[in-house]
């Protein structure tokens, strides 16, 4: 039975003297991900990461969890041996083929590496001996040194490792290696995808959701909690800040020109998200905006929104069209929840003809009428509920 996995990474390998920092983040994320799957030893060794089971585990579940860890390019199920006796290594090779292949009628090539250059056989001799053994044992196997269907890898390090299959991982960078940001999470399709994409670059996430009860329902709030949980499958722990937004939204509606409601409301949201981010060591904001998708996502609107922010605003979806965003949403498992027909605060009090090319001076002039806004913002922040996902 396979008891170990070789973890391959991509970009981390070119990080030079800082590589160990990123490797440490990846090892930490793997440990967190496998915590509920059994006992495992996860260790770095000469540019590789090995995960070895020391208790029983569900092979498919472990593979499923590793496939959700950013930073892993591929996962190789590995047969492991402590004994360097070559007869034992040959038995391990036979056992590996028996376990990994139901049909043994493929072409193959054996590749060998040895860390100990004093081993009695060199790499070429190891590959030749194992290849001959497999041909003798399985009559339907054939060698193809140019385009083999299967590459049988034999590595002699501090243990003997044999592997031949690679399961594709997500790639990217390990969570936490690029700092932490605050995601503006609605109940729609876009913002969970934006969170997933920026997390793939190594950014840890917290999230903020604006709740306008009773105009938005408890089912709408639960929908966002469910989306945060689905996103958390990839990002790990998320602190979801549920901000009561009704009084602020009504105040803006009653005080400002209706065609400017969306952009003013958006600026207040960004301002509040930034305050929460700074209080929780967040270094940036993340939104699900896609250029030109709606009135608040034109270049002029985004420029006006940005003017209220001090932190950088990441918009991973800015150049994607809706179908591309939907495709990612389906891939990461948030789509079916996102399309549940519950309203969010952005879909209520919407002007019939919202301004699409807002003028910053005009918006700021309207905002000066909001004399009580600072008090309302502080009251709302004080009443914010934090849900640990």
């Amino acid at each position: 039975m396979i008891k170990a996995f070789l973890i391959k990474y991509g970009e981390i390998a070119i990080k030079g003297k800082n590589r160990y920092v990123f490797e440490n983040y990846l090892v930490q994320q793997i440990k967190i991900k496998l915590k509920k799957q059994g006992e495992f030893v996860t260790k770095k060794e000469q540019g590789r990461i090995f995960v070895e089971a020391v208790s029983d585990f569900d092979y498919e579940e472990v593979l499923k969890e590793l496939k959700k860890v950013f930073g892993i390019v591929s996962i190789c199920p590995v047969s492991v041996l402590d004994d360097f006796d070559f007869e034992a290594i040959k038995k391990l090779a036979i056992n590996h083929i028996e376990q990994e292949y139901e049909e043994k009628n493929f072409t193959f090539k054996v590749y060998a590496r040895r860390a100990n250059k004093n081993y009695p056989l060199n790499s070429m001799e190891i590959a030749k001996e194992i290849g001959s053994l497999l041909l003798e044992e399985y009559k339907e196997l054939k060698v193809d040194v140019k385009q083999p269907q299967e590459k049988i890898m034999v590595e002699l390090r501090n243990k003997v490792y044999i592997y031949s299959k690679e399961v594709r991982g997500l790639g990217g960078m390990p969570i936490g290696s690029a700092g932490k940001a605050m995601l503006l999470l609605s109940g729609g399709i876009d913002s969970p995808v934006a969170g997933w994409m920026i997390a793939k670059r190594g950014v840890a996430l917290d999230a903020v959701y604006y709740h306008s009860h009773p105009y938005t329902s408890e089912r709408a709030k639960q929908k966002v909690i469910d989306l945060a949980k689905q996103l958390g499958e990839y990002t790990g722990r998320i602190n979801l800040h549920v901000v009561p937004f009704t009084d602020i939204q009504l105040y803006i509606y009653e005080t400002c020109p209706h065609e400017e409601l969306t952009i003013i409301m958006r600026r207040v949201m960004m301002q509040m998200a930034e305050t929460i981010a700074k209080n929780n060591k967040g270094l940036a904001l993340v939104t699900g905006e896609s250029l030109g998708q709606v009135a608040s996502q034109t270049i002029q609107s985004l420029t006006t929104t940005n003017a209220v922010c001090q932190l950088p605003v990441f918009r991973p979806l800015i150049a994607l069209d809706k179908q591309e965003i939907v495709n990612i949403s389906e891939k990461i498992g948030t789509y079916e929840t996102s399309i549940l027909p519950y309203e969010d605060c952005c879909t209520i009090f919407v002007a019939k003809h919202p301004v699409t090319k807002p003028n910053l001076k005009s918006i700021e002039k309207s905002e000066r009428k909001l004399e009580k806004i600072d008090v309302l913002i502080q009251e709302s922040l004080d009443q914010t509920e934090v849900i640990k996902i």
Side-chain angles (χ1 to χ4, degrees):
M1 177 185 175
I2 295 294
K3 298 283 285 184
F5 301 88
L6 164 63
I7 305 298
K8 292 187 176 180
Y9 48 71
E11 287 182 61
I12 293 176
I14 59 173
K15 289 299 181 185
K17 293 181 179 178
N18 290 329
R19 188 172 79 180
Y20 77 95
V21 176
F22 295 90
E23 288 176 333
N24 289 343
Y25 273 109
L26 184 53
V27 167
Q28 182 184 24
Q29 290 302 315
I30 291 170
K31 287 180 177 178
I32 292 171
K33 205 64 186 163
L34 297 184
K35 199 170 183 179
K36 296 180 180 177
Q37 299 299 325
E39 292 184 43
F40 296 87
V41 174
T42 303
K43 58 185 180 182
K44 299 186 295 180
E45 185 184 319
Q46 297 173 324
R48 298 183 183 275
I49 293 175
F50 289 95
V51 177
E52 291 190 36
V54 292
S55 69
D56 293 337
F57 68 101
D58 185 317
Y59 176 86
E60 294 298 333
E61 284 298 314
V62 167
L63 208 53
K64 180 180 168 185
E65 293 300 315
L66 290 174
K67 286 165 69 177
K68 293 179 180 176
V69 177
F70 291 124
I72 295 178
V73 169
S74 60
I75 307 146
C76 306
V78 183
S79 297
V80 185
L81 184 68
D82 289 320
D83 190 349
F84 285 85
D85 178 80
F86 199 65
E87 290 303 314
I89 294 174
K90 288 161 70 174
K91 285 184 181 176
L92 183 69
I94 297 293
N95 288 338
H96 180 82
I97 299 299
E98 282 294 329
Q99 291 175 20
E100 290 293 279
Y101 300 95
E102 287 187 16
E103 302 293 332
K104 301 169 182 63
N105 55 358
F106 49 83
T107 62
F108 75 99
K109 180 180 179 181
V110 178
Y111 297 81
R113 290 183 181 176
R114 55 186 183 130
N116 178 8
K117 300 305 180 187
N118 294 321
Y119 192 75
L121 300 176
N122 64 32
S123 297
M124 289 288 289
E125 290 169 335
I126 294 171
K128 183 179 177 183
E129 289 290 329
I130 297 295
S132 299
L133 171 72
L134 295 180
L135 286 174
E136 184 178 334
E137 187 73 18
Y138 304 106
K139 302 303 181 188
E140 293 186 68
L141 290 187
K142 293 180 181 177
V143 171
D144 185 339
V145 296
K146 293 185 177 178
Q147 291 185 317
Q149 292 172 308
E150 301 294 336
K151 296 178 180 178
I152 313 297
M153 313 299 293
V154 181
E155 296 192 8
L156 277 61
R157 296 172 175 269
N158 65 342
K159 294 182 181 179
V160 180
Y161 300 96
I162 297 180
Y163 60 94
S164 54
K165 291 185 176 178
E166 289 194 19
V167 179
R168 192 171 179 180
L170 289 173
M173 300 296 287
I175 290 291
S177 62
K180 183 178 177 183
M182 182 64 65
L183 170 67
L184 279 75
L185 184 63
S186 71
I189 295 171
D190 300 347
S191 56
V193 174
W196 184 87
M197 289 182 69
I198 203 68
K200 187 178 179 181
R201 297 307 306 156
V203 177
L205 290 177
D206 276 348
V208 58
Y209 164 64
Y210 296 96
H211 189 48
S212 291
H213 183 78
Y215 301 99
T216 54
S217 65
E218 285 302 307
R219 289 189 302 181
K221 175 182 171 183
Q222 184 59 49
K223 175 183 173 183
V224 173
I225 294 171
D226 292 342
L227 285 171
K229 288 179 179 175
Q230 291 162 358
L231 189 57
E233 287 289 309
Y234 300 92
T235 66
R237 174 175 291 179
I238 293 175
N239 290 322
L240 175 62
H241 301 260
V242 180
V243 179
F245 201 59
T246 312
D247 292 345
I248 292 173
Q249 203 164 8
L250 287 172
Y251 183 50
I252 296 172
Y253 182 79
E254 292 165 356
T255 310
C256 296
H258 285 188
E259 65 272 20
E260 295 178 348
L261 286 178
T262 302
I263 197 72
I264 292 175
M265 187 177 71
R266 192 72 183 162
R267 279 165 57 89
V268 172
M269 286 178 167
M270 299 292 275
Q271 189 179 349
M272 296 177 75
E274 185 169 85
T275 299
I276 298 170
K278 288 179 176 177
N279 290 338
N280 291 275
K281 300 181 180 179
L283 302 174
L285 302 180
V286 184
T287 75
E289 290 156 320
S290 168
L291 189 61
Q293 190 179 106
V294 293
S296 64
Q297 296 176 20
T298 64
I299 291 179
Q300 294 87 346
S301 294
L302 296 177
T303 302
T304 306
T305 302
N306 276 5
V308 81
C309 301
Q310 295 177 335
L311 292 178
V313 181
F314 295 148
R315 297 182 170 94
L317 312 186
I318 198 70
L320 300 187
D321 65 30
K322 196 66 182 183
Q323 189 56 52
E324 290 171 316
I325 298 169
V326 166
N327 291 346
I328 299 173
S329 178
E330 291 174 333
K331 172 185 168 184
I332 66 176
T334 56
Y335 179 73
E336 293 300 327
T337 303
S338 289
I339 61 173
L340 292 173
Y342 307 135
E343 68 293 327
D344 65 46
C345 70
C346 295
T347 61
I348 58 177
F349 304 118
V350 176
K352 191 172 183 180
H353 300 292
V355 61
T356 57
K357 298 178 181 178
N359 178 281
L360 180 58
K361 289 184 179 178
S362 174
I363 295 295
E364 288 176 337
K365 182 180 178 182
S366 297
E367 288 176 341
R368 282 195 284 274
K369 299 174 187 173
L370 298 169
E371 296 175 352
K372 298 190 299 182
I373 193 68
D374 289 342
V375 174
L376 290 177
I377 286 175
Q378 190 56 55
E379 287 177 354
S380 184
L381 290 173
D382 291 342
Q383 296 170 24
T384 294
E385 177 188 8
V386 181
I387 301 173
K388 295 185 182 298
I389 303 294

